[in-house]
Amino acid sequence: MSNEQSSTDLTVSGAGTSPAAFQDPGMPPHQERMADKDPAAAKRAERQTVVLFAVSVLGTIGMLVAYFLFPSGDTVESMRTSNLLLGLGLFLSMFGIGAAAVHWAKTLMSDHEQAEARHPQKSDPETREAALAALEAGAKDSGIGRRGLLKGAVVSAVALAPLTFAVPLVGQVGGDWNVSNFRHTLWERGRRLVRDPSGDPIRAADVTIGSAYHVIPDGLREGEHASHWIEEKAKAVVLMVRMDPRDLTEAEDRRDWSYEGIVAYSKICTHVGCPVALYERQTHHLLCPCHQSTFDMADGAKVVFGPAKRPLPQLPITVDDEGYLVAQSDFTEPIGPSYWERLK
Amino acid sequence: MKAIAARRHHRLAPVALLLLALLVTGGLYAALAPSAASASAPSEDDIAAGRALFQANCATCHGPSAEGREGAPSLIGVGAAAVDFQVSTGRMPMQMDGVQAQAKPPQFDAEETSQLAAYVASLGAGPAIPSAEQVDPALGDAANGGALFRTNCAMCHGAIGKGGALSEGKYAPNLGPSTPTQIYEAMQTGPQSMPVFNDANLTPEEKRDIIAFLGEQDAGSPGGTDLGAIGPVGEGIWVWVVGMGLLVACAVWIGAKSS
Amino acid sequence: MSTRATTGQRAASGTADYLDQRTGIGTAVKGFARKIFPDHWSFLLGEIALYSFIVLILTGVFLTMFFVPSMTLVVYEGPFAAMNGVEMSEAFASTLDLSFEVTGGLLMRQIHHWAALLFMAAIVTHMMRVFFTGAFRKPREINWVVGFVLMILGLAAGFTGYSLPDDVLSGNGLRITDGVVKSIPVVGSYMSYFIFGGEFPGEHIIPRLFTMHILLIPGLILALIGLHLFLVVLHKHTHFPGPGRTQRNVVGFPLFPVYVAKAGGFFFIVFGVLALMAGTMTINPVWNYGPYDPSPVAAGAQPDWYMLFLEGGLRLMPGATEFVIAGYTLSLNVLIPAVVIPGLLFTALAAYPFIEAFATGDKREHHLLDRPRNAPVRTATGVAILTAFFILLLAGANDLIATHFAMSLNDITYIFRVLFFVAPVVAFWATKRLCLGLQRKDRELVLHGHETGRIVRFANGEYIEVHKPLDEYERWIRVQHEARRPLEILPAHDERGVRRKGYHRDALRARVSRFFYEDRVEPVTPAELAAAHSHGEHDALEGHPSSGGVPAEIASGPSVDARDR
């Protein structure tokens, strides 16, 4: 068998013999179904179909009953019951009709396969000629070919007209289009760090080693930015942790940005902007749950793994006279994901 | 009084009475029963028994006076709450070295656990085991707890505490099997990778709100089975398996010749 | 009897007459009523998508009655205890209301979301069917492109709808979108402002997404579904090869009544299955995720499955690929997985019919489908693309893989980074070999027939297994396809030594064609079959010469037992 097969693996193209191909045997003879041969079977199929339709009717009635007797209610339990009963009723109501129709078609409607002829998609040569002639006659009639100025006028008018729609839209769809807003957050010299969302200020002494605080700027929802506090919050959220100062590696120019082992970094990932918040206390690593960029909070929030390139921006902090933590300034670079003109 | 007398004959009255009786009994029990940990200050006997247990089961790693060694932290000043959490969840004594200690059936019963806790607490002041009232979900505000949970906990433990992955094989566990006391202690002491949420960060009331929020999850989902509550990936798997599975089966039935 | 019949009949014929006099509908009914549609389960995959879409519209209308697309903040008061007193947008609050206070609202919402997932699953499966059977070939290339655009619109519809409840999960999805958009060179920041009407998140995004989701995108989908189906009717449906099925006919059952019952019934089945899923399985429990706020995020932050490949790409890409060029930031770590790779993947998919047509140089119409094994390189290409897609999908769920299989997130990421490049190549090679093997199996069957398990011993001691030849219908399925061979091109210089115009294009075409068709197994010809029989094969037991050139052969394993029968 094996030597026989190897010779059949690849046929050399154009071997010369090229015998005529097999002939299509045509449609196989029709196989009679049970319901075709046996009137009792046909009757049975009909009864089955009726039962399936009846299931649908019962499902519809059941759903209506459930609607009136089991409203959504006030507890999780009653909500779930209502949803379950309505769903089952709807299921039976719909599925019954579907199954009945299909069963009817399969068992009782003709299953003689029929052939319908196909025709090439393209129109016949005369039609093509006629179509071409019609277009040519039209073009000639309009004189578009001869009147060059007219052609130019049509094109310019039609090309310019959409501006009436586009300019007002584009002018305002992006608000004030002031993309330099990306650069600034609410943080400024002396603004207190407060807990998110309660707004309670944080005493440095309360931040014990190993703590992680989710922080927003004080007065987030007050003053001139009260109407757009949510955009400000989206930029200003900070994660603050305290570790043993001996664990901390700090750049020369950032030595006074932390306070006795307390460091604060922007919570917005430098990759695509998810809140990075999975702080692993023992390794001081901060993991982003969206794309798993990992930042080392003990070492300038440098990237140790994942798709982010840049460290998280650090918020310089200190304490005020009452011992509460305050910012020294805004972030010194735009927070969040990279964008083209970020460094400009 | 008349109204009550009239309603005594209501057919649901026995049920209501039974419920009332159960509630009163349960409430009395909860109020009067000696809480395993916080009932009273531990006696000298407890501390002595705890020391003996410690020497036999913990000292190998943590050192004979709990001063800590390479890879095992000092337990001086961690408090009773940390011991109760670690031992009652079975994380300690640790079964094997790994990226993190795994929860398993506890090795010590409640009494031994409290003795161990008493011994460690005697070594240095630390967070105590919370009282029953501090962890009673009925006293908490679940909605506020939900808001706090989303800000402080959901990033690791998932939206309703079903757990999630951390880096390098570590993970934040499913909070479903945890008792309110264990949840409180975990926040208080920050086991392993978890940060510490002291009482300035999350006040005791806020911790109880979080416990109430997690308690709400026991009622399940209003929409039916929660599919493990793992989010859109689970839903994606189910739409392929159940949805496409059933419908392709139906399509095959429709396309097949009837016999 | 006659009076009863006439009442109904008179009403029907009256209506028909009324319509026909005004619209000439008779012509259309005559043409369509008995139009033939071929029957095959895989032809119903597109119908699942169509019916999901109808269910989406029905349930979507229900939901719009109660949903408020507004980002104005309100305080929730309602039956869901864990949200009471929480500040949230009206969009989120109305989602809770329509889920918990409108009886049946939760069911409708869950049907809507399951139907959206099913819509995309059915589109992808339908597209796979069309791809693997070569149904996209002339004259259906345009319809392939229409279907491709429908898939993109389906993604857009899903994405815009997913974000509407304004919950934490979808809000972070929007924030990722914002980050991806910002990474686009030169115009990124402005595109972000364009989408959000200012800085993220602003107060415009939910109303804007709502308009997209309920007006623009469904309108386009509806129009393109119309075009898609019109072209199906115009071209007449393809059919699988088989006896009596040719390029010039379509074999099946008439539209009325068989297809009306089957296809109509299938709509109800799809609706029923969706209702069953929605009644029993929670989907998108926004009450767990909470109202959007820029600070929180939950573990398990993933999009719906059809967007998961983008998420996976973003997770796999190493961060080192962000560069600063002359002071401008180029974030290839975001651009490549979120823009470039999907762009290439989708372009390749949309262009595939044209690429294959170029390789074959085939200008004929094709109405008979290919069995996937008979187009090994196409099948292998499809499987390779799917494999890459699947790896990205898994990578998008790497945190769940980590927790459920107790693995390290970081290790999984490293593994997938390698697999993304290796697995598609392996899948291509394996699939192509598998297809060629199946074709050889077909040849084997045609030449030698079915094994019967009956072992016969001859007087000279030789054992053979009796084979049963295929009947002509069985055989036809395995021999009907044409053997495609690589194109041969004219030489670079004509006989006078002049360089031929268009040689380079031809040479490229020949290279592509060789890639497609160099390795092939050709169908059995009648001559080969005759030769196989005359060799004294095992299927012709009676004529077997006692000392043929065929080496003696012992059937293996179970066949030996069969000798005892």
Side-chain angles (χ1 to χ4, degrees):
Chain A
M1 194 183 270
S2 54
N3 58 352
E4 180 64 32
Q5 190 177 10
S6 64
S7 73
T8 65
D9 261 12
L10 277 182
T11 312
V12 184
S13 66
T17 51
S18 95
F22 281 97
Q23 289 301 306
D24 183 353
M27 286 213 264
H30 178 243
Q31 305 267 338
E32 294 259 286
R33 292 169 298 185
M34 298 261 280
D36 296 331
K37 294 180 282 198
D38 178 7
K43 196 72 203 160
R44 197 161 56 238
E46 189 185 336
R47 270 201 304 274
Q48 286 161 345
T49 308
V50 170
V51 166
L52 286 170
F53 277 122
V55 165
S56 164
V57 172
L58 290 178
T60 305
I61 294 170
M63 170 150 177
L64 295 179
V65 169
Y67 174 78
F68 288 110
L69 294 190
F70 296 92
S72 189
D74 284 347
T75 65
V76 168
E77 187 63 46
S78 68
M79 292 165 186
R80 186 163 51 227
T81 308
S82 166
N83 184 62
L84 175 69
L85 294 178
L86 291 172
L88 289 178
L90 186 57
F91 162 65
L92 292 177
S93 167
M94 293 295 158
F95 198 86
I97 297 180
V102 171
H103 190 60
W104 184 0
K106 277 171 59 100
T107 53
L108 295 172
M109 295 179 190
S110 158
D111 76 332
H112 283 271
E113 284 193 316
Q114 299 175 16
E116 185 178 301
R118 293 179 191 273
H119 308 285
Q121 295 301 323
K122 72 172 182 189
S123 34
D124 56 58
E126 297 87 67
T127 314
R128 285 186 163 201
E129 294 269 311
L132 210 58
L135 285 180
E136 274 169 1
K140 203 170 158 212
D141 192 18
S142 71
I144 192 84
R146 288 177 285 121
R147 303 184 217 274
L149 191 59
L150 192 57
K151 203 194 295 181
V154 168
V155 169
S156 348
V158 172
L160 287 177
L163 288 178
T164 56
F165 179 78
V167 169
L169 177 70
V170 171
Q172 293 160 89
V173 74
D176 58 5
W177 288 113
N178 182 12
V179 296
S180 66
N181 285 339
F182 293 162
R183 292 171 197 285
H184 309 291
T185 72
L186 270 188
W187 292 110
E188 60 191 356
R189 183 171 184 75
R191 192 179 281 273
R192 278 183 177 167
L193 282 75
V194 301
R195 281 171 54 207
D196 175 27
S198 69
D200 301 335
I202 304 160
R203 233 183 264 277
D206 287 340
V207 186
T208 48
I209 287 180
S211 285
Y213 277 69
H214 296 263
V215 169
I216 51 176
D218 190 23
L220 175 68
R221 300 183 69 167
E222 295 156 14
E224 53 176 326
H225 45 264
S227 62
H228 54 272
W229 66 271
I230 201 158
E231 291 83 46
E232 293 300 342
K233 184 173 183 182
K235 290 189 291 186
V237 282
V238 158
L239 186 77
M240 181 176 73
V241 302
R242 184 171 200 162
M243 62 189 82
D244 189 330
R246 285 169 297 183
D247 290 346
L248 209 52
T249 314
E250 289 180 293
E252 206 51 54
D253 55 339
R254 291 190 179 185
R255 288 219 181 274
D256 59 347
W257 285 19
S258 64
Y259 180 80
E260 292 180 357
I262 304 178
V263 288
Y265 286 95
S266 165
K267 208 167 124 181
I268 303 306
C269 189
T270 56
H271 176 223
V272 283
C274 266
V276 207
L278 283 72
Y279 176 60
E280 298 173 5
R281 181 177 60 80
Q282 288 170 316
T283 55
H284 309 307
H285 284 178
L286 186 67
L287 173 73
C288 177
C290 296
H291 306 107
Q292 288 118 23
S293 297
T294 311
F295 303 88
D296 188 353
M297 296 285 271
D299 187 11
K302 288 190 183 124
V303 178
V304 292
F305 180 77
K309 166 82 176 255
R310 291 179 292 109
L312 295 167
Q314 186 174 5
L315 184 71
I317 53 168
T318 183
V319 291
D320 63 12
D321 306 340
E322 297 171 61
Y324 287 108
L325 287 158
V326 294
Q328 290 184 31
S329 70
D330 196 355
F331 291 104
T332 55
E333 56 180 320
I335 59 95
S338 298
Y339 54 96
W340 182 249
E341 63 274 31
R342 183 176 170 273
L343 296 176
K344 285 286 162 178
Chain B
M1 230 32 217
K2 248 185 185 163
I4 294 178
R7 286 191 188 176
R8 236 173 25 200
H9 301 292
H10 193 277
R11 64 193 163 84
L12 288 182
V15 179
L17 267 177
L18 191 65
L19 279 176
L20 192 69
L22 281 172
L23 269 176
V24 170
T25 322
L28 279 175
Y29 178 80
L32 301 177
S35 170
S38 63
S40 54
S43 67
E44 282 303 313
D45 291 351
D46 285 345
I47 295 175
R51 183 185 294 118
L53 281 168
F54 186 91
Q55 296 301 340
N57 297 286
C58 319
T60 326
C61 303
H62 289 287
S65 24
E67 73 279 17
R69 288 191 173 171
E70 184 63 36
S74 160
L75 300 184
I76 298 166
V78 299
V83 178
D84 187 55
F85 174 83
Q86 299 284 357
V87 177
S88 72
T89 59
R91 286 182 166 81
M92 290 294 149
M94 218 161 135
Q95 209 160 39
M96 56 181 172
D97 250 348
V99 284
Q100 73 186 53
Q102 318 237 355
K104 59 179 185 297
Q107 190 173 327
F108 301 109
D109 62 22
E111 194 190 348
E112 291 167 328
T113 307
S114 70
Q115 289 165 344
L116 269 174
Y119 166 66
V120 172
S122 74
L123 299 174
I129 296 169
S131 69
E133 190 190 322
Q134 277 178 300
V135 300
D136 185 357
L139 299 174
D141 172 359
N144 186 47
L148 292 165
F149 190 86
R150 285 192 284 281
T151 304
N152 293 289
C153 323
M155 70 290 279
C156 299
H157 289 286
I160 55 166
K162 294 290 180 180
L166 300 174
S167 66
E168 309 284 2
K170 293 177 291 240
Y171 59 92
N174 179 5
L175 302 179
S178 306
T179 65
T181 304
Q182 289 164 351
I183 295 170
Y184 192 101
E185 289 165 346
M187 289 189 272
Q188 187 90 342
T189 61
Q192 303 185 57
S193 290
M194 182 165 162
V196 177
F197 294 90
N198 61 27
D199 287 349
N201 196 350
L202 291 173
T203 64
E205 291 75 37
E206 288 175 329
K207 289 193 176 85
R208 188 165 60 193
D209 292 347
I210 289 176
I211 289 168
F213 170 75
L214 289 169
E216 286 283 312
Q217 306 310 322
D218 295 343
S221 167
T225 59
D226 66 2
L227 306 178
I230 57 169
V233 172
E235 293 156 9
I237 293 172
W238 286 101
V239 83
W240 278 95
V241 172
V242 175
M244 285 305 283
L246 280 178
L247 288 171
V248 166
C250 288
V252 170
W253 172 58
I254 294 173
K257 284 228 185 309
S258 179
S259 57
Chain C
M1 163 88 195
S2 64
T3 48
R4 258 180 59 210
T6 46
T7 329
Q9 277 175 356
R10 207 184 299 141
S13 74
T15 313
D17 179 54
Y18 182 91
L19 281 177
D20 191 46
Q21 292 208 29
R22 282 155 186 81
T23 62
I25 199 169
T27 322
V29 172
K30 177 175 156 255
F32 280 105
R34 301 292 277 180
K35 201 169 169 56
I36 298 299
F37 279 90
D39 219 9
H40 192 271
W41 68 267
S42 69
F43 298 163
L44 296 174
L45 294 169
E47 285 187 21
I48 299 178
L50 175 66
Y51 299 147
S52 309
F53 183 68
I54 296 173
V55 172
L56 281 167
I57 289 183
L58 292 175
T59 51
V61 169
F62 188 101
L63 296 177
T64 53
M65 299 292 134
F66 304 100
F67 180 69
V68 185
S70 155
M71 298 173 88
T72 307
L73 292 176
V74 294
V75 172
Y76 178 77
E77 298 294 338
F80 197 73
M83 282 292 156
N84 251 329
V86 174
E87 190 181 35
M88 56 182 67
S89 67
E90 278 193 282
F92 191 84
S94 61
T95 306
L96 293 184
D97 288 347
L98 71 84
S99 301
F100 301 139
E101 287 175 58
V102 177
T103 298
L106 181 58
L107 182 70
M108 291 299 158
R109 213 186 118 240
Q110 298 205 123
I111 293 181
H112 194 75
H113 205 125
W114 281 120
L117 299 193
L118 185 70
F119 182 54
M120 287 314 300
I123 287 181
V124 169
T125 325
H126 172 59
M127 222 167 165
M128 277 155 63
R129 197 281 294 170
V130 170
F131 182 91
F132 287 120
T133 58
F136 53 77
R137 288 172 297 171
K138 189 182 171 183
R140 294 181 180 78
E141 306 99 317
I142 296 172
N143 219 8
W144 168 265
V145 175
V146 172
F148 170 80
V149 176
L150 275 169
M151 180 194 71
I152 302 290
L153 286 171
L155 290 177
F159 180 77
T160 51
Y162 169 77
S163 305
L164 285 182
D166 202 17
D167 56 294
V168 167
L169 184 61
S170 70
N172 280 317
L174 278 178
R175 182 145 213 183
I176 294 171
T177 313
D178 178 56
V180 168
V181 167
K182 278 179 179 161
S183 77
I184 296 170
V186 186
V187 295
S189 315
Y190 295 93
M191 283 179 69
S192 164
Y193 263 53
F194 181 92
I195 293 169
F196 293 95
E199 275 194 281
F200 174 89
E203 54 193 11
H204 298 294
I205 186 67
I206 297 292
R208 284 181 183 182
L209 289 174
F210 184 68
T211 307
M212 294 287 152
H213 183 71
I214 67 150
L215 179 73
L216 200 58
I217 296 170
L220 284 172
I221 291 181
L222 208 56
L224 285 179
I225 286 180
L227 181 59
H228 203 60
L229 294 182
F230 168 76
L231 286 172
V232 169
V233 170
L234 186 77
H235 292 141
K236 297 195 171 101
H237 208 287
T238 51
H239 50 185
F240 275 101
R245 288 148 164 79
T246 71
Q247 299 283 12
R248 298 173 169 280
N249 72 3
V250 51
V251 175
F253 301 108
L255 178 69
F256 185 75
V258 179
Y259 246 78
V260 170
K262 282 190 174 179
F266 197 41
F267 164 73
F268 291 97
I269 288 176
V270 171
F271 202 161
V273 166
L274 284 169
L276 183 65
M277 294 176 78
T280 52
M281 303 196 288
T282 307
I283 187 163
N284 197 23
V286 289
W287 51 86
N288 286 348
Y289 306 141
Y292 183 67
D293 179 286
S295 172
V297 64
Q302 273 115 350
D304 275 344
W305 80 264
Y306 45 82
M307 289 285 177
L308 202 54
F309 73 106
L310 289 176
E311 175 83 2
L314 282 169
R315 288 181 180 196
L316 288 191
M317 191 74 194
T321 44
E322 179 177 306
F323 303 105
V324 175
I325 299 163
Y328 291 102
T329 309
L330 183 64
S331 305
L332 289 181
N333 55 338
V334 180
L335 276 175
I336 289 179
V339 181
V340 177
I341 287 185
L344 287 176
L345 213 66
F346 283 148
T347 311
L349 208 57
Y352 187 83
F354 309 99
I355 296 169
E356 194 183 299
F358 177 77
T360 52
D362 189 350
K363 302 269 192 294
R364 296 167 303 165
E365 288 188 8
H366 291 275
H367 301 291
L368 268 182
L369 296 172
D370 278 331
R371 301 170 78 213
R373 69 184 61 172
N374 290 337
V377 170
R378 178 205 295 150
T379 305
T381 306
V383 172
I385 290 176
L386 278 178
T387 307
F389 180 78
F390 194 65
I391 297 285
L392 290 180
L393 221 68
L394 288 178
N398 60 358
D399 52 338
L400 291 169
I401 297 174
T403 47
H404 284 72
F405 297 95
M407 292 172 74
S408 155
L409 196 61
N410 307 52
D411 294 346
I412 297 172
T413 305
Y414 293 129
I415 292 168
F416 282 150
R417 280 178 184 168
V418 175
L419 277 186
F420 178 72
F421 293 100
V422 175
V425 177
V426 174
F428 179 90
W429 175 83
T431 312
K432 190 176 159 189
R433 288 295 128 198
L434 199 67
C435 288
L436 292 170
L438 284 170
Q439 280 183 281
R440 285 194 191 104
K441 172 85 182 152
D442 277 353
R443 281 185 62 87
E444 180 65 25
L445 259 180
V446 170
L447 287 174
H448 308 297
H450 295 290
E451 293 174 2
T452 59
R454 218 174 100 224
I455 307 291
V456 174
R457 201 182 89 167
F458 288 94
N460 63 358
E462 182 188 352
Y463 290 99
I464 64 148
E465 182 184 5
V466 179
H467 282 219
K468 179 172 159 286
L470 274 60
D471 70 32
E472 56 178 345
Y473 303 113
E474 276 181 292
R475 185 203 301 137
W476 174 244
I477 294 175
R478 292 169 177 84
V479 298
Q480 48 75 35
H481 60 287
E482 58 178 2
R484 298 194 187 89
R485 294 166 188 165
L487 293 172
E488 303 204 350
I489 59 166
L490 297 170
H493 303 274
D494 63 16
E495 59 268 27
R496 279 174 295 168
V498 180
R499 221 177 144 68
R500 191 165 62 79
K501 250 175 84 178
Y503 172 73
H504 282 295
R505 190 184 153 80
D506 282 0
L508 172 67
R509 172 180 295 222
R511 266 202 303 281
V512 178
S513 185
R514 266 204 305 282
F515 169 71
F516 268 88
Y517 302 121
E518 193 150 51
D519 296 333
R520 66 189 177 282
V521 177
E522 304 211 344
V524 176
T525 60
E528 284 174 320
L529 184 62
H533 282 279
S534 69
H535 277 192
E537 271 309 322
H538 304 146
D539 46 351
L541 179 61
E542 289 76 15
H544 194 273
S546 57
S547 58
V550 186
E553 183 181 329
I554 301 294
S556 58
S559 307
V560 176
D561 301 330
R563 183 176 46 178
D564 299 332
R565 288 187 202 141

